Amino acid sequence: MSKRDDFEKDDGPATPGEQARAEAFGRLVDGLLAGDALPPAMDSEDRALVEAATVVMASSRAIEPAPERTRRLVDQALEAAILRRSGGAPQATDSGEHRAESPMTLLPPEDPNERSVTDVTTRRRRRSDQVARVLPWAVASLAAAAAIILFIVRPPQKERTADETAEVAPRAEVPLDVINTSRPADPLVGRIGKADRGKATERIDLLYADRMAGYRDLEFRRALPGERAP
Amino acid sequence: MSDAAVAEKLEEERRLVAEAQAGNLDAMRPILEAYAAPLYATVILPRLGDAATAEDVLRDTFTTAIEKIEQFRWTGKSIYVWLRQIAVNKVYDVHRRSKRSVQLADAMAKEMPQTTQPEAAADAMLIAAEEQVQNRERIGHAMRALSERYRTAIQLRLIDELPREECARRMNVTTGTFDVVLFRAVRAFRKHFGAES
């Protein structure tokens, strides 16, 4: 039996699953023909089929990238090659080219007036790479030198004079108005013994009564003739 | 293109390559821009089938070419031959890395020479045109092994690029049935192409 017959055997009724996949594939082919990008996530078998379809299409007509896309690819390639040459990225593997390796150096153009933009970019990038390598060491060295100089040339500490060492006289206390003073609770409550730990309500009542007495005292003084509330 | 025009073009190419080898890498730009389309359309995409990967390979090809331009030796033929060889090797690398296309990678290893053929034509566009013919032959060879129905489905949809509905009408089936026929046809093609290319 020939291979052609083998393929004919597959041409039976489709299952619902196959029908759905076939429709999805049909839509993908629509996208291919319209030049759309493939969806990023695809079943590997579907992707293989789309690739096969693209291979067929590419054999029948020249599918080319747009000119602006081509220019961008060339720019990226030039940039990558220059970066690699200047040590900014690893060298390309030899997989694409099987000749013997030779040491590659970027030769300066003979006529400086004919220097290209790319060449100027290379030099500038190489210079910035050198600066980037040296800069951290330069900053660290400068900081260390500055610290040493400051240590050496700092002014000697002066002896304190008698006036400076004299104790500052305590300031005279200004008596506060009664209204601004609190009624200290500690002498009122005293030390709370273990046995009295649970009597918080009594202590609160005591403090409340004390505060009320203070309030009444103030109010009483205000009520007397010739007395002013503070 | 006349012989004189080809010779003039080759001379311009030789001058640009010499300039690039002297350190002015920007001289490569017109060469790469001119050969991007034939490399992509006849070398890379027909061997990969994935536009995004094909663009990556094209860029990698250019990067390698720029990096190793000092190693290129002018033999009176277009640098396209050298670029094409780099591209073919890059494509092979992609197939080798991708487990799902091991079969294609093996087929390519048998088919493709690892060095540039000395008898290759001098003119890039002539080489590209010959390669396009070879690609069609490879596709045609795989298509001949398919049933008439599958061949027709592929021809109408992928080569003539007709809408699904029109393909279905011409094959006298519903659009849904045509989708299934095309799906199976491409699957059969893929199986056969990988095995015999």
Side-chain angles (χ1 to χ4, degrees), chain B residues 3 12-13 15-16 44 49 53 65 67 71 75 81 84-85 87 97 112 122 125 139 155 168 181 183 191:
Chain B
D3 287 351
E12 171 67 4
E13 208 173 289
R15 189 188 66 73
L16 289 170
I44 302 172
T53 312
E67 281 182 321
Q71 298 176 16
T75 58
V81 179
R84 180 198 169 276
Q85 188 60 50
R97 281 198 299 269
M112 292 172 185
M125 294 308 148
I139 301 297
Q155 176 72 40
V181 173
F183 181 71
K191 193 172 160 187

Side-chain angles (χ1 to χ4, degrees), chain A residues 15-95:
Chain A
T15 62
E18 189 186 18
Q19 181 74 54
R21 283 188 66 192
E23 280 180 27
F25 177 68
R27 283 193 293 274
L28 283 172
V29 173
D30 277 338
L32 276 183
L33 294 172
D36 297 343
L38 290 178
M42 273 177 75
D43 176 53
S44 64
E45 196 185 333
D46 288 346
R47 186 173 287 277
L49 291 181
V50 170
E51 286 175 4
T54 307
V55 165
V56 174
M57 286 163 54
S59 74
S60 62
R61 67 174 170 102
I63 302 173
E64 297 168 358
E68 61 270 22
R69 181 71 189 141
T70 301
R71 274 194 292 278
R72 204 178 314 150
L73 287 172
V74 172
D75 283 343
Q76 288 171 353
L78 276 165
E79 197 173 328
I82 288 164
L83 262 177
R84 284 177 182 165
R85 280 192 164 200
S86 61
Q91 286 284 332
T93 58
D94 200 30
S95 60

Side-chain angles (χ1 to χ4, degrees), chain B:
Chain B
M1 192 181 280
S2 68
D3 287 351
V6 170
E8 192 181 333
K9 200 175 149 200
L10 281 175
E11 179 53 29
E12 171 67 4
E13 208 173 289
R14 191 197 61 74
R15 189 188 66 73
L16 289 170
V17 168
E19 205 176 317
Q21 287 177 328
N24 179 14
L25 298 181
D26 212 38
M28 288 287 283
R29 186 184 296 274
I31 296 176
L32 301 181
E33 284 182 356
Y35 293 150
L39 279 174
Y40 182 88
T42 66
V43 179
I44 302 172
L45 189 62
R47 287 173 170 83
L48 283 174
D50 177 15
T53 312
E55 285 192 359
D56 289 345
V57 167
L58 181 65
R59 188 183 49 234
D60 289 351
T61 299
F62 288 165
T63 305
T64 301
I66 296 163
E67 281 182 321
K68 296 176 185 287
I69 190 62
E70 284 96 344
Q71 298 176 16
F72 174 73
R73 296 287 169 268
W74 187 262
T75 58
K77 289 179 180 173
S78 170
I79 193 174
Y80 179 81
V81 179
W82 187 65
L83 294 173
R84 180 198 169 276
Q85 188 60 50
I86 297 174
V88 166
N89 291 331
K90 296 274 183 199
V91 168
Y92 184 61
D93 285 348
V94 170
H95 279 304
R96 206 168 39 188
R97 281 198 299 269
S98 166
K99 285 181 182 172
R100 67 190 152 80
S101 54
V102 168
Q103 198 178 11
L104 265 181
D106 290 345
M108 284 183 69
K110 286 177 199 160
E111 182 219 14
M112 292 172 185
Q114 289 300 302
T115 54
T116 305
Q117 290 172 318
E119 67 272 18
D123 181 46
M125 294 308 148
L126 190 59
I127 299 169
E130 284 172 3
E131 186 135 34
Q132 185 76 345
V133 171
Q134 286 169 10
N135 289 339
R136 279 201 201 104
E137 283 175 3
R138 285 165 63 212
I139 301 297
H141 185 71
M143 292 266 283
R144 277 193 291 278
L146 306 184
S147 71
E148 179 67 33
R149 200 164 184 230
Y150 285 178
R151 268 206 309 274
T152 306
I154 289 177
Q155 176 72 40
L156 292 173
R157 185 76 168 123
L158 302 179
I159 297 175
D160 299 343
E161 300 188 3
L162 296 175
R164 291 151 78 195
E165 294 75 15
E166 176 62 17
C167 296
R169 195 188 64 75
R170 291 197 186 190
M171 288 185 73
N172 203 24
V173 292
T174 62
T175 307
T177 302
F178 175 77
D179 283 341
V180 174
V181 173
L182 181 72
F183 181 71
R184 290 176 177 177
V186 174
R187 196 165 54 189
F189 171 83
R190 164 90 187 171
K191 193 172 160 187
H192 205 75
F193 184 67
E196 287 195 8
S197 65

Side-chain angles (χ1 to χ4, degrees), chain A:
Chain A
M1 190 182 281
S2 70
K3 281 182 180 172
R4 186 175 300 184
D5 293 336
D6 289 343
F7 292 139
E8 289 285 12
K9 269 197 315 190
D10 294 338
D11 212 4
T15 62
E18 189 186 18
Q19 181 74 54
R21 283 188 66 192
E23 280 180 27
F25 177 68
R27 283 193 293 274
L28 283 172
V29 173
D30 277 338
L32 276 183
L33 294 172
D36 297 343
L38 290 178
M42 273 177 75
D43 176 53
S44 64
E45 196 185 333
D46 288 346
R47 186 173 287 277
L49 291 181
V50 170
E51 286 175 4
T54 307
V55 165
V56 174
M57 286 163 54
S59 74
S60 62
R61 67 174 170 102
I63 302 173
E64 297 168 358
E68 61 270 22
R69 181 71 189 141
T70 301
R71 274 194 292 278
R72 204 178 314 150
L73 287 172
V74 172
D75 283 343
Q76 288 171 353
L78 276 165
E79 197 173 328
I82 288 164
L83 262 177
R84 284 177 182 165
R85 280 192 164 200
S86 61
Q91 286 284 332
T93 58
D94 200 30
S95 60
E97 207 276 341
H98 294 278
R99 291 166 191 241
E101 286 280 353
S102 69
M104 286 188 289
T105 52
L106 192 66
L107 301 174
E110 287 175 8
D111 182 0
N113 295 326
E114 291 184 359
R115 280 179 188 160
S116 69
V117 174
T118 314
D119 192 41
V120 171
T121 312
T122 312
R123 287 160 183 272
R124 199 175 297 149
R125 189 167 287 143
R126 191 189 292 170
R127 204 173 301 134
S128 67
D129 285 348
Q130 284 172 349
V131 170
R133 269 197 298 274
V134 170
L135 193 63
W137 291 105
V139 170
S141 305
L142 277 174
I148 292 168
I149 290 167
L150 279 175
F151 182 75
I152 293 169
V153 303
R154 69 178 175 174
Q157 284 190 337
K158 287 188 290 183
E159 292 283 328
R160 284 187 171 185
T161 60
D163 291 344
E164 285 172 342
T165 52
E167 285 186 10
V168 178
R171 285 187 300 177
E173 286 189 11
V174 179
L176 292 172
D177 290 336
V178 176
I179 193 73
N180 293 328
T181 59
S182 62
R183 299 170 73 88
D186 287 351
L188 198 66
V189 175
R191 188 179 176 80
I192 302 169
K194 277 188 179 178
D196 298 330
R197 276 185 304 189
K199 298 176 181 171
T201 312
E202 287 179 18
R203 287 192 289 276
I204 290 168
D205 289 344
L206 184 66
L207 290 171
Y208 183 73
D210 182 60
R211 297 282 191 276
M212 283 302 291
Y215 174 74
R216 283 197 199 98
D217 184 37
L218 281 174
E219 287 296 308
F220 178 68
R221 270 196 267 169
R222 192 183 302 173
L224 288 175
E227 287 283 345
R228 275 183 68 234

